[in-house]
Amino acid sequence: MRVIICGAGRVGVGIARRLSRENNEVTVVDQSKELVRAVTERLDVRGIVGNGAYPQTLEEAGAREADMIIAVTFSDEVNMVACQIAHSLFNVPTKIARVRAQGYLDPGYSDIFSRNHLPIDVVISPEREVSEAIIQRMTTPGAFETKAFVDGRVWAVGVKLRDDCPIINTPLRQVAELFPDLKITIVAIKRGDSMWRAHSGDMLEPGDRVFFIADRSDVARALEIMGEAGRAARRVIIVGGGNIGLFVAKGLEKTGNMKIRLIERNRKRAEEIAEELERTIVLQGDGLDRSILREAGVAEAETVVSVTDNDQVNILACVVAKREGSRRAMALINDQDYGPITEAVGVDRYVDPRATTISTILQHIRRGRIKGVYSLSDGAAELIDAIALETSPLVGKPLREANLPEGVMIGAVYRDNEVQMPTGDMVINAGDRVVLMSMRENVKDVEQMFRVSIEYF
């Protein structure tokens, strides 16, 4: 596949890395010579210095032969025009644009991205997606990773095992035998820098990061069994009133009787969001100021989430909040180098917007009837939600005879409005939603399993 990526920032480079690993022909376009030089030195990609919205630049990048353009520059307008030019002049089949300004995403203007106006196939709003990820993680405080599939019926969850976890040193097959009615499949284990597909004989150790796929209704019990029981927060403090902070507050207001406080440093912005929010109390001040945190009720807060546009502020705000009595703290981290630091200083969870955006883009890059994708451990593995077609090699035979690749494990099957856990005797039917985990080297195999073949027509 020939792909043009406009923008050599964190997201652009992340997508370029992922696609080049999979032997796609990737060209990265950016106006910065330094960024283009850096990405071409680190990755097996072609680099073009120029404006992605210019026809000449896109032609030089190979737009006439391109299968896809992904526009993720820092300018919404450049992203949108790049897709328009790619469509009008070069007939690029698939066009993806990142759009941050919420004025473009107003439901009243949804027709703007239609084929007759701005022909963009996929519009990505990082702020909204990150906000949803934060809200979802707040509902499962014991997990460091959560992702919903199949319209929220199936969840994938990551949890770090503590020393007192009751299933430590227990083979996974025994865990399944101990809790036969629990709809959960452990699909992957990460120990140190190594990650692998889970096997029935694997023994879990303290510090392991375990990923499981489960029926949504069994997630809380599964976390309890793994020693990470914890109720969702009822008192929340949000530090930062940008788009993400505003979206998180609005989302939490819909959950019911939650007490929400939001701290915003800029007075004008604080007044603006106070008018938009219904039940959230907005405080104007610095989230690093202990007196402001105390006024917000930090000592009684179950969760403080810091979502300013400064990673250092987010980490420090969480550290201060924990010392002031907050039970948990979550930070928004744009620079992945800060990720390991957060745990060392006592921050319970962090959210990486880059990883969230890359996962959304991958969903539309993957071939086949793929409905959802979520990247794990910087691309070491992927969680995939796919629809089984009549021509799929999975259909019509027991799973034990399906010859799945070593790095692929089915976690759940959604059929007839019911979540079912896979067994060796299970037969996949056409139309089933299959949620699985695939190691990086087997993603292409998964795409082949769910691709539309000529026999389908």
Side-chain angles (χ1 to χ4, degrees), residues 4 120 156 268 285 288 320 419:
I4 298 173
I120 302 174
K268 182 179 179 182
L288 298 177
V320 173
V419 178

Side-chain angles (χ1 to χ4, degrees), residues 167-232:
I167 61 173
I168 289 294
N169 298 324
T170 304
L172 292 185
R173 71 169 66 90
Q174 288 189 18
V175 176
E177 293 169 358
L178 288 170
F179 307 99
D181 60 333
L182 189 66
K183 291 187 175 182
I184 168 179
T185 305
I186 296 177
V187 293
I189 301 169
K190 184 176 182 181
R191 183 174 298 158
D193 294 329
S194 299
M195 184 173 180
W196 66 91
R197 194 210 87 178
H199 298 82
S200 61
D202 285 337
M203 304 273 282
L204 300 176
E205 298 181 2
D208 283 353
R209 295 177 183 267
V210 174
F211 299 88
F212 65 85
I213 295 172
D215 186 312
R216 171 66 185 95
S217 60
D218 281 351
V219 169
R221 185 178 170 216
L223 289 172
E224 183 178 354
I225 289 170
M226 295 182 185
E228 286 292 349
R231 67 177 187 179

Side-chain angles (χ1 to χ4, degrees), residues 67-78:
D67 300 297
M68 177 181 295
I69 183 171
I70 303 170
V72 288
T73 74
F74 291 107
S75 169
D76 292 349
E77 290 72 24
V78 169

Side-chain angles (χ1 to χ4, degrees), residues 386-389 413-416 427-434 450:
I387 299 177
L389 302 174
V413 176
Y414 185 72
R415 174 191 301 165
D416 298 329
V427 176
I428 301 295
N429 298 331
D432 285 352
R433 291 280 288 272
V434 181
F450 297 97

Side-chain angles (χ1 to χ4, degrees), residues 216-372:
R216 171 66 185 95
S217 60
D218 281 351
V219 169
R221 185 178 170 216
L223 289 172
E224 183 178 354
I225 289 170
M226 295 182 185
E228 286 292 349
R231 67 177 187 179
R234 294 181 180 274
R235 298 178 180 85
V236 175
I237 297 173
I238 302 168
V239 178
N243 285 333
I244 293 177
L246 178 60
F247 290 149
V248 170
K250 286 184 174 180
L252 294 178
E253 284 186 340
K254 297 176 183 177
T255 62
N257 60 348
M258 190 175 290
K259 294 182 179 179
I260 310 163
R261 305 290 186 271
L262 188 151
I263 301 172
E264 166 55 36
R265 187 170 187 172
N266 182 278
R267 177 175 294 277
K268 182 179 179 182
R269 177 61 179 172
E271 292 172 351
E272 290 173 352
I273 59 179
E275 293 180 0
E276 291 195 48
L277 295 169
E278 297 179 2
R279 296 188 297 103
T280 300
I281 295 177
V282 179
L283 303 175
Q284 189 268 318
D286 190 338
L288 298 177
D289 187 332
R290 294 174 186 269
S291 63
I292 292 292
L293 287 170
R294 290 168 184 166
E295 183 180 348
V298 66
E300 292 79 35
E302 280 98 358
T303 300
V304 171
V305 52
S306 187
V307 291
T308 75
D309 58 2
N310 186 302
D311 289 354
Q312 294 94 328
V313 169
N314 292 337
I315 294 171
L316 287 173
C318 288
V319 171
V320 173
K322 288 290 290 286
R323 290 184 176 179
E324 287 294 316
S326 174
R327 188 176 304 170
R328 294 183 293 268
M330 184 188 307
L332 182 72
I333 302 296
N334 287 283
D335 188 339
Q336 67 180 131
D337 291 338
Y338 283 117
I341 298 174
T342 60
E343 186 174 354
V345 298
V347 180
D348 300 285
R349 304 286 181 264
Y350 73 91
V351 177
D352 181 356
R354 181 186 64 98
T356 303
T357 303
I358 289 174
S359 294
T360 303
I361 293 173
L362 286 174
Q363 175 181 337
H364 302 282
I365 289 175
R366 295 288 172 240
R367 299 179 183 274
R369 296 296 299 278
I370 307 297
K371 303 295 290 183

Side-chain angles (χ1 to χ4, degrees), residues 2 59 61-68 90 92-93:
R2 297 181 177 89
E59 184 165 26
R64 294 193 186 280
E65 296 79 34
D67 300 297
M68 177 181 295
F90 304 111
V92 177

